[in-house]
Amino acid sequence: MRKRKRNGSKRYGRTWRKVRNEYIKYHPYCEMCLTAEASEVHHIIPISEGGKHDKSNIMAVCRECHDEIHRRMREAKKDEGMC
């Protein structure tokens, strides 16, 4: 499994860090499980697919939920390729 940098600094830069830190400050709990402390901010529509850093396109999540979101995304892409 590919390891990715958790803080996003390498890929997204200073602007993303500012948006992320501000968002997580006001959304301290995971918006998926609603119990764990949020440690990451997820783009609902990925940047690679035209998503932006807008508040309407991000959500605060714990590491476990973030990993689960990406697992489901990988499975969905794999399923799309099987026709």
Side-chain angles (χ1 to χ4, degrees):
M1 178 178 273
R2 178 176 62 115
K3 294 283 183 190
R4 61 187 171 90
K5 196 167 186 169
R6 289 283 177 187
N7 68 5
S9 63
K10 185 175 180 182
R11 185 163 181 198
Y12 297 121
R14 195 176 341 180
T15 301
W16 169 242
R17 282 193 306 276
K18 184 177 178 182
V19 169
R20 180 207 178 279
N21 291 341
E22 186 74 14
Y23 191 83
I24 213 160
K25 176 180 173 182
Y26 291 102
H27 300 87
Y29 291 98
C30 178
E31 295 180 67
M32 291 279 300
C33 68
L34 305 174
T35 58
E37 188 174 317
S39 58
E40 302 182 22
V41 177
H42 172 72
H43 286 91
I44 298 164
I45 299 172
I47 296 295
S48 63
E49 295 176 16
K52 306 288 183 208
H53 294 324
D54 299 337
K55 290 179 183 177
S56 62
N57 188 46
I58 58 178
M59 62 189 298
V61 291
C62 65
R63 177 176 272 176
E64 291 78 18
C65 287
H66 200 206
D67 289 345
E68 178 65 15
I69 290 168
H70 283 277
R71 184 189 65 74
R72 289 180 186 178
M73 290 171 69
R74 282 190 305 274
E75 286 179 0
K77 283 187 178 186
K78 193 185 313 181
D79 290 344
E80 285 176 5
M82 301 174 80
C83 294

